[in-house]
Amino acid sequence: MFKKVMSLALASTLVLSAGAFVASAAEAEDAVAANDESAVAADDSSAVAAGDESQVGAGTKIYFDVKSAGWTNFSKIYCHVWRADGTGKWPSWQTKKEVCKKESDDLYSYDITKTGNAEEIQNAGSKNLYCVIFSADTQVQIYNTIMNGNCIGDTVYVTGNKIENPKDSSKTDTEAAWKNHPECGPQKVITSTSKVVGTALADGTTDVTLLADYLLDYVSDDGTADTSKTDKTQDLINQLKISPLAVMSNVNFKLEGFVKEETMTQDVANKKKATIEGILGKCTDPTKGGEKVNQDEINNAEAKNDAAESSGSSNGGSSSNGSSSNGSSNGSSSGSNSVQSGQETTIFFVFAGVMVAAAGVFFLVRRREN
């Protein structure tokens, strides 16, 4: 009799385990199928978007007109996307996650789900929060191009103009723009040779913040100015058509932020502030007909965030070079998460079934012994 009971207990355990694993397999299969269907739907809608302007913003792909670039003898096209303020985790330069798909001899596509930040980009709407660079494995690339959420489904093309690389003046990059989003053109920055290049400002930056960052970059922690750069301040003020007082207000705002975040000591902030006040105090104001600024006003400028209405970074330094690595992507699709969740639930029930069966056997054994 005891052996029969033991056999029944073990059989029950096997039935419970088998049923649970069958359920697990069914859940996983359903989740994968749903994932595949959504991926196909996104792929179809974005493919249509490239050829139909009314569909721009649909799907999860962006496109690159490689014919407009005139690139030849390449094997792969890559797409590097990152947040213009340098935050977040994004795939590294020309890694597997940045490989584009060939749609035709003239057109390549990149699925932004590979960045691990597709939902964030889609939700950005008209906010110019991102930059994109298309490049080839032959060491050619386009210049940093601003992107917002509405650019999904749109195509980047090369304009034919050349732009000085912001970080390395010995290099030039190819200017690019979007076919249907003129507000998202080449990123506007001040280069290392004190030139203003590009036309599109990332959210969180203005002409004022560009010059504020420039001055902060070229005044050292001990308050020493790199005069080869800072002597160009008046020229930059004239090109940007901005007020020196507004620049000083933004410098003060940024310095206060650095001290508060403990990325800079108050002593360093004071030294930078004093030097920049001296530089801007010698300038004229193009917004007031070239009138010379008042040094006292500069020295007592109120800390002000010129980009207060923008949703981007307001305390950061100069924009990072787009070709640099911004960290690897750890994102995963919601479909894969749902499969994992189902498996964890099933494992719990299997474990519970085994424990119940084991407890029953133990009880019978003790009863027999008594």
Side-chain angles (χ1 to χ4, degrees):
M1 182 65 181
F2 174 74
K3 290 183 178 180
K4 289 182 180 181
V5 171
M6 286 288 290
S7 298
L8 285 171
L10 291 172
S12 299
T13 301
L14 291 173
V15 169
L16 283 168
S17 301
F21 280 112
V22 168
S24 176
E27 288 173 11
E29 186 175 355
D30 289 343
V32 169
N35 224 22
D36 288 345
E37 289 174 5
S38 63
V40 169
D43 198 48
D44 288 345
S45 63
S46 56
V48 171
D52 183 353
E53 292 184 11
S54 65
Q55 292 298 315
V56 170
T60 57
K61 287 185 177 181
I62 56 176
Y63 298 83
F64 179 57
D65 181 354
V66 72
K67 183 179 180 181
S68 67
W71 296 347
T72 58
N73 301 319
F74 59 83
S75 300
K76 292 180 180 178
I77 297 294
Y78 298 89
C79 181
H80 187 57
V81 179
W82 75 101
R83 228 175 189 271
D85 65 5
T87 60
K89 291 186 177 180
W90 303 83
S92 298
W93 179 255
Q94 291 195 346
T95 51
K96 186 177 180 181
K97 288 186 177 181
E98 295 197 339
V99 175
C100 296
K101 177 184 176 182
K102 183 178 181 179
E103 300 286 347
S104 68
D105 288 341
D106 300 337
L107 193 69
Y108 279 74
S109 67
Y110 180 69
D111 194 329
I112 62 169
T113 59
K114 290 183 177 181
T115 67
N117 298 288
E119 185 176 356
E120 175 192 321
I121 297 172
Q122 289 171 318
N123 291 339
S126 61
K127 297 176 182 177
N128 294 350
L129 296 176
Y130 309 94
C131 288
V132 59
I133 291 177
F134 284 95
S135 65
D137 54 2
T138 54
Q139 298 186 344
V140 291
Q141 68 178 69
I142 64 170
Y143 174 71
N144 306 3
T145 306
I146 293 293
M147 180 178 78
N148 61 36
N150 295 336
C151 291
I152 298 171
D154 202 356
T155 302
V156 172
Y157 71 97
V158 169
T159 65
N161 297 326
K162 293 290 185 180
I163 289 182
E164 179 184 312
N165 185 291
K167 300 297 181 183
D168 186 350
S169 61
S170 66
K171 298 178 181 178
T172 57
D173 296 330
T174 303
E175 182 185 80
W178 296 89
K179 288 189 174 180
N180 302 295
H181 291 85
E183 78 280 9
C184 293
Q187 185 182 19
K188 190 173 187 178
V189 298
I190 300 174
T191 72
S192 59
T193 58
S194 310
K195 293 176 184 157
V196 178
V197 299
T199 58
L201 287 163
D203 271 32
T205 62
T206 66
D207 289 341
V208 167
T209 69
L210 291 184
L211 187 54
D213 286 335
Y214 176 85
L215 291 172
L216 287 166
D217 282 345
Y218 292 114
V219 173
S220 67
D221 288 354
D222 65 1
T224 302
D226 179 349
T227 54
S228 68
K229 311 294 184 183
T230 58
D231 283 352
K232 307 286 181 63
T233 301
Q234 183 67 67
D235 292 339
L236 289 168
I237 285 174
N238 293 339
Q239 286 184 64
L240 296 169
K241 296 180 175 60
I242 54 178
S243 162
L245 182 59
V247 175
M248 193 65 233
S249 291
N250 195 242
V251 166
N252 288 338
F253 173 79
K254 290 175 180 291
L255 288 173
E256 285 185 0
F258 294 145
V259 172
K260 185 177 181 180
E261 294 163 6
E262 298 184 347
T263 57
M264 182 182 292
T265 66
Q266 187 64 60
D267 181 58
V268 169
N270 290 342
K271 289 176 180 177
K272 281 181 173 278
K273 172 182 166 67
T275 300
I276 295 173
E277 284 175 345
I279 294 168
L280 292 172
K282 297 175 184 176
C283 295
T284 58
D285 189 344
T287 67
K288 295 182 178 180
E291 176 184 311
K292 192 177 186 312
V293 301
N294 184 305
Q295 184 68 61
D296 288 338
E297 288 184 352
I298 292 291
N299 293 346
N300 296 293
E302 179 185 0
K304 182 180 178 183
N305 179 14
D306 193 72
E309 300 303 316
S310 181
S311 58
S313 171
S314 58
N315 286 336
S318 300
S319 301
S320 59
N321 188 344
S323 62
S324 65
S325 169
N326 287 306
S328 59
S329 170
N330 293 321
S332 58
S333 66
S334 58
S336 64
N337 287 339
S338 66
V339 173
Q340 291 172 359
S341 176
Q343 289 172 339
E344 290 166 358
T345 303
T346 301
I347 289 170
F348 171 79
F349 283 114
V350 169
F351 180 73
V354 172
M355 291 299 293
V356 170
V361 172
F362 178 76
F363 172 77
L364 290 173
V365 169
R366 291 298 300 269
R367 185 176 180 183
R368 178 179 175 82
E369 289 177 351
N370 294 333

